[in-house]
Amino acid sequence: MEEKTKNHHTNKHIRNFKSRTPLLHKPPPPFHHVHTNPLLFPSSSPHQSLNLLSTSIHSSHYYYYYCFYSQFHNTLLPPPPPLPFHPSPPLLPLPPPDQRFFNSISKPLSLPPVVERKQKKQVFEHKDNIRNIKVISGSTEAALVVAKRPDSGGQEGSVIYLLANHFLVKFDPSQKIYHYNVDITPHPSKEIARLIKQKLVETEGKASFSGSVPAFDGRQNVYSPVEFQEDKLEFFVNLPIQTCKTLMKCGGDLREKQPEKKVDKLFRVSMRLVSKFDGKKQRKEGESWAPLPQEYIHALDVILRENPTEKCTSIGRSFYSSSMGGSKEIGGGSVGLRGFFQSLRQTQQGLALNIDLSIAAFHESIGVIAYLQKKLEFLKDLSRNKGRELSLEERREVEKALKNIRAFVCHRETVQRYRVFGLTEEITESLWFQDRDGKQLRVMSYFKDHYGYEIQFKNLPCLQISRTRPCYLPMELCVICEGQKFLGKLSDDQTAKIMQMGCQRPNQRKDTIDKVMSGPVGPSSGKQTREFNLEVSREMTLLKGRVLQPPKLKLERPRSLVVKGTRWALMSIGGSSDQKSTVPKFIHELTQKCEHLGVFLSKNTTSTTFFEPSHILNNVSLLELKLKEIQRAASSNLQLIICVMERKHKGYGDLKRIAETKIGVVTQCCLYPNITKLNSQFVSNLALKINAKIGGTMSELYNSIPSHIPRLFRLDEPVIFMGADVTHPHPFDDCSPSVAAVVGSINWPEANRYVSRMRSQTHRQEIIQDLDVMVKELLEDFHKALKKLPNRIIFFRDGVSETQFKKVLQEELQAIKAACSNFDHYNPTITFAVVQKRHHTRLFRRDPVCHHENIPPGTVVDTVITHPKEFDFYLCSHLGVKGTSRPTHYHILWDENEFTSDELQRLVYNLCYTFVRCTKPVSIVPPAYYAHLAAYRGRLYIERSSELTNGGSMNPSCVSRVGPPKTIPLPKLSDNVKNLMFYC
């Protein structure tokens, strides 16, 4: 079928097609067989037939097809394979219209059969003024609804006037927004896509876009305040794109870049109207408030991000620019950049824009050779030793440093960017490849013949830039692309420099945020806010907070809590003679401090200190033998090993794993540089950690928890506090399992001793898979300690984002109830709260006299900036010494205990004083804190086991695996350790 075209004299750069026929329906033109090298880069010379072809083409479709085809043909890599199609699950049914719930979910709640007893049809009902759930065993119906705020907010505490970094957004709810889907071919980067959009607005704004300036998310969504001339639009955009061309110095270092040339590249842009909507609230019968449509909020978010996106480097929800304080080298081939975070939220005051300071590390845009010299200490003299070869261990370190980094080449003009997937097995001098004709070519000869360049670093491997087939690039011809966020683990020195960049006193941080809002890169400085009738306040939100009274603590603990006669040993690993000579003094100071806490380290086992060389940490078998030898020397009755190490070492993970899973003893590690200084605070902190690990307690409330909430808690009705967290592997690891940990208290009413359970689970699975099993085990431990099961369960879940709230509530609450069903006639009331620390809400004192100080401990906010209807609050429970305090956000998803705002806020704040290794209140509630520490310990086991299995390199199966990754089980904890707080 031929296409009928009425107008052939189109704009030079843009062509608007109103025809509805597809563009790519013709067979390939006869020039498709022109040879190019499939493994290495083709010659930069254009096809000879381009001019003849351009003059002979009479159809714009043929011209587009030529440009589209030739670009894929001239690239190093073929187009990526199509993504597998996963059909969306069916939508869940809505609740009945008379049900007064917010954002209801309807999904069956199935409980497992009761263990070792005949299952009967039973009905369990829990009713309160927040929600109603009815669970019928066998035939189950349930509607889980996020808990509503039980009152108008708390009343306890003294009033404090605060400013929050939320900026009110006023909008016209009747303003219609038109959503268009955009498809750009060939697929460009976000930066190029925005250039295409800008060019379209400049040339087609009045004719096709009805004079509007639409907002674009850089992917496939365009939002306009007016409807375009047609529902479907198609354009050709001929965009000049800058190429990269860099000369080389001898030795592989890069000179200044040459003036960049521009190469025209043709793109097809098609747009179609998807939907049109406004911001009018659709309330259900009986509701006083209804959330804005999520589609509308997303559109406003894209609109408000348009201006900063055009002027800054966009990473997630943050924007970075050198204009916000410049970049700072932090070592290791990385630089730190200041930026700001931006997010649109629904709050009690209406829509608000959350703006905060953001600091991130980026890879330095330099040559790969220069980057490795900065990154790896053993390669710092590489440019002076070009013939150097890499050992097996060094090769692994180089591969780890470069994996997943994007780079461009500097031996020819190109606009392409390539991702590093690994290194070649062979060095460059020995590397050959096969061209399309099957001819074997030597890599070094190829670059000499085609580009006149002789490779200098012949004994280094090449970069492998394809996941599935051999595609090689010599390191010295590659430059790291700009704007890549560093996603790996920063060194201690790098972390300190990044923290120093972001460590601002409250008044300084507030000034930085205010400058963003009033500056040219702010969200309200562009055209889009006027286009869509938006008004963003430039003043922070004024609100009233409350400062809760701190609880009283016992100064002298009961003698029953004192741990006596702890059998221990000291193991010195590495260290100079001068450092080792400080050990006796350190032992004396530590034992004195421990005795002050009530921990008496037995002097019978301190007569012999085991001095070992530092290389023992490199040999797992030798380390295990030595630890067993120490245990035998203590007559197999060892409770504690204090390890003094010369410096931080990756073998630390092996030491912990062997001691806790094979030997059955807790360890406390410290560094020689710290014990030589012998700071009193350091020794005190060490003693507190030892006290916690061997079963002691430090902090206890003077008045027991039941006396704080007498309406709900009783001494004879025990309560268990649980915490849960999941840790995931680093961003570039696509096969290692995630680790889940759950902790539970085992004493009442003190509630300051906890046991833990850890499990590995599916890669990056946030929902805890074995939660029912772990909760059941914790309940059994609680019953063993107190001879009864808890009447109430208070569950704190860490690490959950707002988008996962409903799924976590649906699945994990069900798992907790399933665990309870394993006990006869057991049906405790449950409160499920999410603990969020990684948010960007900051609170500042309004009083100009003390605006440079942090908010005091106990500051709580549950109005204005919190959720309009759901039960949440911000609590700053700790004293901020450096920087600006970040309050913790508590969001209650389920509450069968019917807490009032005051009761729950008071309970959480008081619990923050019971953390075992600190004498002051901590920033998050201890059960969540312990779960985080336990999950991190499980992650340490997994990472070290994986490194040892794969020889320290990335698992090869992670590069091109088929099917889901296998879950590596965690090693089993020793019975001597599993009920101790060994992770503290």
Side-chain angles (χ1 to χ4, degrees):
M1 179 176 62
E2 295 184 1
E3 179 188 9
K4 297 180 182 179
T5 308
K6 296 181 180 180
N7 184 7
H8 288 285
H9 34 278
T10 55
N11 184 281
K12 179 180 179 182
H13 299 296
I14 303 172
R15 296 174 182 175
N16 181 5
F17 292 94
K18 300 180 181 179
S19 172
R20 299 295 184 264
T21 55
L23 293 178
L24 302 180
H25 64 280
K26 296 290 185 179
F31 54 81
H32 75 281
H33 65 276
V34 177
H35 170 72
T36 54
N37 195 309
L39 301 180
L40 296 165
F41 293 96
S43 172
S44 58
S45 60
H47 288 290
Q48 304 256 336
S49 57
L50 178 58
N51 294 332
L52 292 174
L53 181 68
S54 299
T55 57
S56 63
I57 287 180
H58 296 287
S59 168
S60 58
H61 290 175
Y62 276 111
Y63 178 67
Y64 167 73
Y65 187 86
Y66 165 71
C67 297
F68 175 75
Y69 179 83
S70 61
Q71 288 178 42
F72 280 116
H73 196 64
N74 275 323
T75 58
L76 174 69
L77 302 176
L83 293 174
F85 174 72
H86 298 289
S88 300
L91 294 176
L92 296 174
L94 293 175
D98 61 339
Q99 208 170 355
R100 300 181 181 182
F101 296 134
F102 171 54
N103 285 351
S104 298
I105 302 177
S106 180
K107 184 177 179 181
L109 185 69
S110 58
L111 297 178
V114 178
V115 175
E116 296 181 353
R117 60 187 173 96
K118 187 176 180 180
Q119 184 179 7
K120 299 180 181 180
K121 186 173 181 180
Q122 298 178 351
V123 179
F124 304 99
E125 291 192 15
H126 307 292
K127 294 182 179 179
D128 58 27
N129 60 339
I130 300 174
R131 46 84 208 101
N132 178 20
I133 177 174
K134 178 181 287 186
V135 181
I136 303 177
S137 303
S139 174
T140 307
E141 295 181 0
L144 299 186
V145 182
V146 175
K148 302 295 190 297
R149 194 180 305 279
D151 44 41
S152 60
Q155 304 296 323
E156 292 183 4
S158 57
V159 174
I160 181 173
Y161 287 93
L162 305 168
L163 292 171
N165 58 339
H166 288 218
F167 298 84
L168 187 64
V169 178
K170 295 182 180 179
F171 63 97
D172 180 5
S174 64
Q175 168 71 58
K176 279 196 175 296
I177 295 178
Y178 298 85
H179 177 200
Y180 290 85
N181 180 269
V182 181
D183 182 39
I184 304 177
T185 312
H187 183 68
S189 65
K190 280 188 180 182
E191 293 77 13
I192 300 300
R194 291 195 174 278
L195 293 176
I196 293 171
K197 176 252 180 181
Q198 290 175 10
K199 193 160 189 178
L200 281 172
V201 170
E202 292 171 3
T203 55
E204 290 289 322
K206 292 183 179 180
S208 299
F209 298 156
S210 305
S212 68
V213 181
F216 181 40
D217 68 352
R219 294 184 180 92
Q220 58 183 14
N221 298 299
V222 162
Y223 298 96
S224 172
V226 298
E227 193 168 5
F228 293 164
Q229 294 296 328
E230 296 191 21
D231 291 349
K232 290 186 179 180
L233 296 170
E234 291 176 344
F235 307 95
F236 281 149
V237 180
N238 194 16
L239 190 70
I241 300 176
Q242 290 182 335
T243 63
C244 305
K245 176 73 174 177
T246 313
L247 288 179
M248 294 294 211
K249 278 184 180 179
C250 179
D253 294 332
L254 298 173
R255 292 181 180 176
E256 295 295 325
K257 294 180 180 178
Q258 288 183 339
E260 294 176 333
K261 298 181 180 179
K262 293 186 177 181
V263 175
D264 286 346
K265 193 168 184 178
L266 189 69
F267 297 91
R268 185 190 72 171
V269 183
S270 59
M271 296 184 182
R272 62 181 179 86
L273 181 64
V274 177
S275 62
K276 43 190 171 184
F277 46 84
D278 56 34
K280 294 181 179 177
K281 301 176 182 178
Q282 304 297 322
R283 293 187 178 91
K284 297 178 183 177
E285 184 180 350
E287 287 185 334
S288 60
W289 175 87
L292 285 171
Q294 193 59 41
E295 190 178 24
Y296 195 79
I297 295 178
H298 178 72
L300 294 183
D301 188 51
V302 172
I303 292 163
L304 292 170
R305 291 169 63 86
E306 182 80 1
N307 183 63
T309 301
E310 290 179 352
K311 299 174 182 177
C312 304
T313 299
S314 174
I315 304 290
R317 290 194 170 273
S318 296
F319 304 92
Y320 300 92
S321 171
S322 57
S323 64
M324 294 188 62
S327 61
K328 177 181 178 181
E329 283 198 32
I330 61 173
S334 298
V335 294
L337 275 181
R338 278 194 177 93
F340 65 95
F341 168 90
Q342 174 179 319
S343 176
L344 193 62
R345 306 178 61 83
Q346 289 194 83
T347 64
Q348 290 187 28
Q349 66 173 334
L351 274 183
L353 204 58
N354 181 203
I355 303 291
D356 189 29
L357 174 69
S358 180
I359 308 292
F362 288 79
H363 294 287
E364 200 173 350
S365 183
I366 54 178
V368 168
I369 296 293
Y371 176 81
L372 291 176
Q373 289 180 269
K374 290 186 174 185
K375 177 77 174 175
L376 303 173
E377 181 69 22
F378 59 84
L379 291 180
K380 63 181 181 180
D381 61 343
L382 184 60
S383 59
R384 297 192 298 271
N385 187 9
K386 300 175 193 174
R388 190 189 194 286
E389 291 190 30
L390 299 178
S391 66
L392 182 61
E393 183 64 29
E394 289 173 342
R395 186 185 178 282
R396 289 169 181 160
E397 290 295 320
V398 171
E399 185 174 37
K400 184 178 178 181
L402 297 177
K403 192 175 179 68
N404 288 297
I405 286 181
R406 286 181 290 114
F408 62 86
V409 294
C410 55
H411 63 283
R412 66 183 185 90
E413 294 176 357
T414 179
V415 297
Q416 282 187 282
R417 303 293 185 267
Y418 308 98
R419 186 177 297 278
V420 179
F421 288 97
L423 302 180
T424 58
E425 294 293 334
E426 297 177 340
I427 61 175
T428 306
E429 189 175 30
S430 305
L431 208 55
W432 293 69
F433 68 94
Q434 188 177 25
D435 66 7
R436 284 193 173 182
D437 297 330
K439 184 180 178 181
Q440 291 290 330
L441 296 177
R442 191 166 176 248
V443 170
M444 293 190 61
S445 301
Y446 176 84
F447 281 94
K448 179 70 173 177
D449 297 341
H450 284 72
Y451 303 106
Y453 181 79
E454 186 170 347
I455 294 175
Q456 305 292 312
F457 297 86
K458 304 175 184 180
N459 292 328
L460 292 181
C462 282
L463 303 180
Q464 168 67 23
I465 55 168
S466 172
R467 185 185 289 268
T468 57
R469 63 189 182 92
C471 294
Y472 311 139
L473 283 178
M475 290 186 190
E476 61 201 84
L477 299 180
C478 298
V479 183
I480 293 174
C481 296
E482 197 173 13
Q484 294 185 81
K485 188 177 179 181
F486 184 88
L487 298 177
K489 185 177 180 180
L490 296 171
S491 66
D492 292 342
D493 185 55
Q494 289 175 319
T495 301
K497 291 178 180 178
I498 284 289
M499 291 181 65
Q500 187 179 10
M501 289 181 67
C503 188
Q504 293 183 323
R505 296 301 296 171
N507 58 321
Q508 296 172 330
R509 195 181 194 100
K510 181 181 178 300
D511 290 344
T512 300
I513 296 171
D514 288 337
K515 287 178 182 177
V516 169
M517 291 302 298
S518 60
V521 300
S524 60
S525 300
K527 301 177 182 178
Q528 275 68 33
T529 51
R530 295 189 296 272
E531 288 276 333
F532 291 85
N533 295 324
L534 297 177
E535 182 182 342
V536 183
S537 172
R538 297 192 176 185
E539 299 293 329
M540 288 190 178
T541 297
L542 175 64
L543 53 87
K544 285 196 299 184
R546 293 172 290 113
V547 182
L548 304 179
Q549 288 296 316
K552 293 181 180 179
L553 298 178
K554 290 185 178 180
L555 299 180
E556 294 184 3
R557 294 174 293 115
R559 300 298 296 175
S560 59
L561 294 179
V562 176
V563 179
K564 289 188 176 182
T566 301
R567 296 181 64 82
W568 67 289
L570 189 140
M571 182 181 184
S572 169
I573 302 177
S576 64
S577 300
D578 291 340
Q579 289 176 327
K580 293 176 183 178
S581 65
T582 63
V583 168
K585 184 180 179 182
F586 165 67
I587 291 175
H588 175 74
E589 292 288 335
L590 181 62
T591 51
Q592 290 277 15
K593 189 64 69 174
C594 285
E595 286 181 13
H596 179 71
L597 295 176
V599 179
F600 294 89
L601 300 179
S602 174
K603 297 180 181 180
N604 296 333
T605 57
T606 60
S607 57
T608 302
T609 300
F610 298 85
F611 292 95
E612 303 296 336
S614 57
H615 68 75
I616 194 175
L617 293 174
N618 296 322
N619 190 322
V620 178
S621 301
L622 184 60
L623 179 61
E624 183 175 344
L625 288 173
K626 182 53 64 176
L627 289 174
K628 288 181 177 178
E629 179 185 327
I630 297 174
Q631 185 189 39
R632 285 193 300 270
S635 303
S636 300
N637 192 26
L638 199 62
Q639 295 172 269
L640 169 71
I641 299 178
I642 298 175
C643 302
V644 185
M645 303 165 65
E646 182 179 6
R647 62 181 182 278
K648 289 187 177 181
H649 194 283
K650 60 185 179 182
Y652 166 85
D654 297 322
L655 177 67
K656 292 291 184 181
R657 177 178 53 81
I658 295 169
E660 293 161 2
T661 63
K662 296 186 177 182
I663 309 299
V665 61
V666 295
T667 57
Q668 178 58 57
C669 296
C670 53
L671 300 176
Y672 264 117
N674 291 328
I675 74 164
T676 52
K677 298 175 185 177
L678 216 57
N679 179 275
S680 176
Q681 186 62 50
F682 164 75
V683 178
S684 297
N685 292 339
L686 209 61
L688 285 171
K689 295 182 73 174
I690 291 172
N691 178 45
K693 289 180 179 181
I694 61 178
T697 56
M698 178 60 196
S699 299
E700 184 181 340
L701 300 177
Y702 184 80
N703 296 315
S704 64
I705 292 176
S707 66
H708 296 156
I709 310 177
R711 188 180 70 88
L712 295 179
F713 293 164
R714 291 184 177 182
L715 286 173
D716 59 345
E717 295 181 357
V719 177
I720 187 172
F721 297 98
M722 291 186 176
D725 192 17
V726 179
T727 64
H728 302 291
H730 62 77
F732 289 143
D733 185 340
D734 65 350
C735 63
S736 295
S738 296
V739 177
V742 185
V743 303
S745 59
I746 55 170
N747 60 341
W748 176 259
E750 298 86 2
N752 55 6
R753 290 182 57 227
Y754 288 76
V755 292
S756 65
R757 293 295 183 270
M758 302 180 295
R759 296 285 194 282
S760 60
Q761 62 183 42
T762 304
H763 174 77
R764 299 206 182 283
Q765 172 68 44
E766 182 58 43
I767 302 298
I768 302 177
Q769 294 174 335
D770 293 334
L771 181 61
D772 55 342
V773 178
M774 290 190 279
V775 169
K776 175 179 174 291
E777 292 177 1
L778 292 175
L779 289 173
E780 290 172 342
D781 289 340
F782 187 95
H783 184 271
K784 184 177 180 181
L786 275 77
K787 308 306 179 187
K788 60 168 61 177
L789 289 169
N791 291 59
R792 304 177 192 270
I793 296 176
I794 316 296
F795 194 92
F796 294 98
R797 178 66 157 89
D798 193 11
V800 178
S801 64
E802 293 177 2
T803 58
Q804 298 171 313
F805 278 2
K806 293 175 183 176
K807 186 175 182 181
V808 166
L809 174 60
Q810 187 75 24
E811 299 190 25
E812 296 191 357
L813 178 64
Q814 174 181 339
I816 297 171
K817 288 182 176 291
C820 296
S821 71
N822 286 280
F823 304 92
D824 287 328
H825 311 296
Y826 180 55
N827 192 28
T829 52
I830 300 171
T831 295
F832 192 109
V834 169
V835 182
Q836 292 178 305
K837 189 67 177 175
R838 295 182 180 180
H839 62 83
H840 287 269
T841 294
R842 298 294 185 274
L843 301 172
F844 306 93
R845 292 176 182 258
R846 186 196 180 196
D847 187 352
V849 177
C850 51
H851 70 286
H852 61 285
E853 298 177 2
N854 272 308
I855 55 178
T859 300
V860 64
V861 171
D862 57 5
T863 60
V864 186
I865 61 172
T866 50
H867 194 279
K869 290 296 178 183
E870 294 175 7
F871 191 4
D872 71 324
F873 59 90
Y874 291 93
L875 172 64
C876 180
S877 53
H878 67 293
L879 175 64
V881 179
K882 292 184 178 180
T884 304
S885 295
R886 171 163 40 189
T888 300
H889 186 218
Y890 295 89
H891 202 124
I892 291 75
L893 303 187
W894 191 260
D895 186 22
E896 294 172 356
N897 290 296
E898 301 183 6
F899 282 101
T900 66
S901 294
D902 279 327
E903 287 171 339
L904 191 56
Q905 291 163 11
R906 188 190 319 132
L907 172 64
V908 170
Y909 184 45
N910 290 350
L911 284 175
C912 290
Y913 280 83
T914 64
F915 191 65
V916 291
R917 69 181 197 190
C918 189
T919 57
K920 296 178 181 178
V922 290
S923 60
I924 65 174
V925 68
Y929 203 146
Y930 297 143
H932 174 78
L933 294 175
Y936 176 78
R937 180 56 55 83
R939 164 69 44 208
L940 194 65
Y941 294 167
I942 289 285
E943 287 178 349
R944 284 302 295 159
S945 298
S946 179
E947 286 181 16
L948 293 171
T949 302
N950 302 309
S953 64
M954 293 288 184
N955 191 339
S957 64
C958 296
V959 178
S960 58
R961 57 175 170 82
V962 178
K966 294 181 180 180
T967 301
I968 305 171
L970 290 175
K972 185 180 178 181
L973 288 170
S974 168
D975 290 339
N976 295 339
V977 171
K978 69 177 184 179
N979 288 330
L980 296 175
M981 300 176 71
F982 61 91
Y983 44 82
C984 287

